[in-house]
Amino acid sequence: MFSSETYKERRERLTEQIKSGILFFPGNNETPMNYPANTYHFRQDSSFLYYFGLDQSNLAGLIDVDKNESIIFGNDRDIDDVVWMGYETPLKERSEKVGVTKTKPFSELKTYLQSALASGRKVHFLPQYKHDIIIEFQEWLGINAKYVNKYSSIELTKAVIAQRSVKSEEEVEEIEKALEISYLMNKTAMKMSRPGMIEREVFGAIEGIALAKGSGVSFPIIFSIHGETLHNHNHNNVMKDGDLLVLDSGAESLLHYASDITRSFPVSGKFTEKQKNIYNIVLKSQLEAIEMIKPGIKYREVHLHSAKVIAKGLKELGLMKGNVDDAVANGAHALFFPHGLGHMLGLDVHDLEGLGEAFVGYDEDTKRSDQFGLAYLRLAKTLQPGFVLTVEPGIYFIPQLIDIWKGENKHADFINYDEVDKYRDFGGIRIEDDVLLTENSSKVLGKPIPKSVDEVEKACNS
Ligand code: GLY
Ligand code: MN
Ligand code: MN
């Protein structure tokens, strides 16, 4: 974990934003897989980690703004727990490491919260996403599970988003540690993939790297010869000569900061001319987007620029036609690039999304579009120094979507459907890097992972 000063300072800065009441941060519990004692890999809640640092289950953190004190609720392991799971440092000692001197047994949490409510105090909590915790709110605060998120505190949510969005130097270092793991995962996959192998063989090997070097993957690995399916979690295909692979993966550092990298590469180790042409359009779109990123620009503007690069490139190949600006304004490019350019990155791979995309990616003067494609943009608002975000344009040929659009003659002024039909079995290409906003500019984080056609082919054949 970071030093106790880091956690103390984070809590102090938060209480400067919220003038009174209690700030309540439940930690996560173990999640049963198929019976209670057989659990999934434990993942602590990211806001709990951010303010209270402790990476164990069955804890809750509380900041009493009026009394200016923090408390951690939890229990020490009893002898049965010790026999089965081992000794754990007592809570009091663990809490001191994150600058919290007051601890209480978990059973006192309910009484504490109920007496706060009884004396008319406000208990602020964040939007919740984990079902078992949501059910606990009935017990803790008397809120029916169905309505818990109706009562979450917008004031706290906005303050936490503002604070967690701006990364400190030590947080950026953690993201770079996760990127070090990503480097190994990507290089390994490029080198290992061969015609005749099943995707699962490579998928397993790189998930193993994430586990061996850090806290595991930051989201389920996407690795497929069907890269046209944006979040493809099927790994059962046999890779064939001529297929293109999309690998979208990320690791967590030991402190749970995420990386999120996509590379696309040929199974055979050599791009065909057709693949190279599409690849270079995506690459140009990504590089120009990265070039534009600086404080003060709206990410929607960067997204629209990358869409224009894609539309222009596809026009040069004969797949699109007409005026590029008009094509993008009308959303015609979304047949090939149906998702957003990127999202925030931090303790969560889609950082802070659990607190509501409306607050994280949008602001008062940036409203979500309802146009197909643009509506999926997770981050549209004005960028600030300290943000870390992903830049991940792509071009995909989704046969079912092509059929629907063609059937409706949709955007026929901008799309050459006869030409598009020749790419029906192409698959998809996405290229993704993680970028830090500096005071006046931006920089790509991590050691460069092969990205140009030459670099990728070389890594595949190394
Ligand atoms: N989790 C997939 C992506 O956002 O890149
Ligand atoms: Mn990704
Ligand atoms: Mn991403």
Side-chain angles (χ1 to χ4, degrees):
M1 62 179 66
F2 296 124
S3 76
S4 61
E5 281 311 310
T6 291
Y7 299 102
K8 260 168 55 185
E9 195 201 299
R10 286 174 176 178
R11 293 192 298 269
E12 276 162 18
R13 280 186 35 221
L14 182 62
T15 51
E16 282 161 16
Q17 305 302 312
I18 315 277
K19 296 294 174 239
S20 73
I22 285 173
L23 316 183
F24 173 45
F25 294 92
N28 276 341
N29 294 329
E30 298 284 356
T31 306
M33 208 153 62
N34 45 358
Y35 53 94
N38 199 28
T39 57
Y40 287 105
H41 170 76
F42 174 71
R43 177 55 157 82
Q44 185 57 286
D45 173 71
S46 295
S47 290
F48 183 89
L49 270 181
Y50 186 85
Y51 293 105
F52 292 93
L54 300 183
D55 195 7
Q56 297 93 32
S57 60
N58 297 91
L59 300 171
L62 192 146
I63 304 171
D64 188 321
V65 180
D66 310 302
K67 289 192 197 148
N68 194 23
E69 70 173 10
S70 296
I71 309 173
I72 295 179
F73 291 81
N75 300 331
D76 289 331
R77 284 188 176 171
D78 63 20
I79 189 62
D80 285 337
D81 295 335
V82 171
V83 168
W84 287 95
M85 296 181 298
Y87 174 76
E88 189 174 64
T89 310
L91 181 61
K92 184 124 193 77
E93 255 176 78
R94 282 184 281 146
S95 300
E96 278 160 11
K97 292 211 159 59
V98 294
V100 176
T101 49
K102 193 164 181 177
T103 60
K104 285 178 180 290
F106 204 85
S107 57
E108 289 184 23
L109 176 62
K110 179 184 171 181
T111 329
Y112 194 99
L113 292 171
Q114 300 262 328
S115 70
L117 287 182
S119 52
R121 303 185 65 203
K122 167 106 179 142
V123 177
H124 297 264
F125 60 88
L126 296 171
Q128 301 296 312
Y129 56 91
K130 211 160 173 292
H131 299 147
D132 56 327
I133 299 289
I134 288 174
I135 291 168
E136 294 285 354
F137 271 77
Q138 172 87 51
E139 172 92 356
W140 292 331
L141 292 171
I143 307 174
N144 182 299
K146 271 195 217 151
Y147 306 114
V148 167
N149 285 343
K150 279 198 170 42
Y151 290 94
S152 64
S153 162
I154 292 177
E155 194 185 357
L156 178 64
T157 302
K158 285 185 171 173
V160 168
I161 288 174
Q163 192 177 358
R164 279 182 52 193
S165 291
V166 176
K167 272 67 181 178
S168 67
E169 257 175 56
E170 59 187 355
E171 290 185 284
V172 173
E173 279 168 23
E174 281 299 311
I175 294 173
E176 300 237 47
K177 285 179 197 164
L179 281 162
E180 192 70 32
I181 305 171
S182 277
Y183 177 86
L184 288 175
M185 291 166 76
N186 280 274
K187 287 275 283 206
T188 302
M190 287 180 192
K191 191 173 164 160
M192 199 179 162
S193 299
R194 288 277 174 280
M197 286 179 90
I198 303 175
E199 293 162 345
R200 179 175 348 109
E201 296 174 63
V202 177
F203 159 77
I206 56 178
E207 176 133 1
I209 295 174
L211 287 163
K213 302 285 181 185
S215 296
V217 293
S218 53
F219 62 97
I221 292 174
I222 296 161
F223 179 66
S224 181
I225 55 171
H226 285 292
E228 75 277 11
T229 302
L230 305 181
H231 285 178
N232 200 331
H233 293 145
N234 174 355
H235 307 115
N236 292 321
N237 295 300
V238 177
M239 306 179 211
K240 298 180 303 301
D241 195 3
D243 287 341
L244 260 185
L245 286 159
V246 169
L247 170 58
D248 183 350
S249 61
E252 281 193 358
S253 71
L254 291 172
L255 296 192
H256 300 288
Y257 283 82
S259 58
D260 185 7
I261 294 288
T262 307
R263 288 294 183 267
S264 304
F265 51 93
V267 170
S268 67
K270 186 122 186 74
F271 288 96
T272 63
E273 278 310 299
K274 198 172 176 182
Q275 289 169 344
K276 210 185 285 186
N277 290 337
I278 299 288
Y279 189 92
N280 280 327
I281 299 170
V282 179
L283 183 60
K284 185 172 158 62
S285 166
Q286 201 231 19
L287 294 174
E288 288 195 17
I290 291 171
E291 198 60 37
M292 280 176 82
I293 294 175
K294 61 173 193 302
I297 197 166
K298 272 190 204 284
Y299 207 46
R300 183 181 357 236
E301 211 181 300
V302 185
H303 169 87
L304 289 172
H305 179 79
S306 78
K308 283 178 194 170
V309 175
I310 284 173
K312 184 164 176 282
L314 292 176
K315 183 178 164 180
E316 280 159 13
L317 286 181
L319 283 87
M320 290 189 76
K321 58 187 176 184
N323 179 287
V324 165
D325 290 350
D326 292 345
V328 170
N330 282 282
H333 65 283
L335 175 62
F336 311 101
F337 177 29
H339 60 76
L341 185 61
H343 49 85
M344 303 283 270
L345 181 82
L347 275 166
D348 308 311
V349 64
H350 285 189
D351 207 28
L352 298 155
E353 210 171 284
L355 306 187
E357 232 176 83
F359 295 126
V360 184
Y362 292 82
D363 55 23
E364 283 306 314
D365 53 305
T366 321
K367 295 283 161 253
R368 191 188 285 273
S369 160
D370 56 10
Q371 187 185 75
F372 176 77
L374 197 53
Y376 294 137
L377 185 56
R378 298 179 192 279
L379 175 63
K381 71 184 182 188
T382 305
L383 305 180
Q384 290 174 32
F387 281 13
V388 176
L389 47 84
T390 70
V391 189
E392 48 179 311
I395 294 180
Y396 313 88
F397 295 89
I398 306 165
Q400 296 77 5
L401 187 62
I402 294 170
D403 287 342
I404 291 172
W405 280 39
K406 191 179 173 181
E408 293 171 357
N409 221 12
K410 191 164 171 172
H411 297 309
D413 292 347
F414 302 114
I415 297 168
N416 275 325
Y417 283 104
D418 289 346
E419 223 26 61
V420 173
D421 271 335
K422 296 178 190 162
Y423 286 75
R424 291 177 68 86
D425 61 352
F426 183 95
I429 289 177
R430 176 162 66 253
I431 305 174
E432 175 175 27
D433 282 303
D434 304 337
V435 170
L436 167 71
L437 272 281
T438 56
E439 269 322 301
N440 303 306
S441 179
S442 65
K443 73 173 210 190
V444 178
L445 294 175
K447 183 156 78 177
I449 296 171
K451 190 156 82 165
S452 70
V453 163
D454 285 350
E455 287 164 359
V456 169
E457 287 186 347
K458 205 166 145 217
C460 290
N461 293 293
S462 62

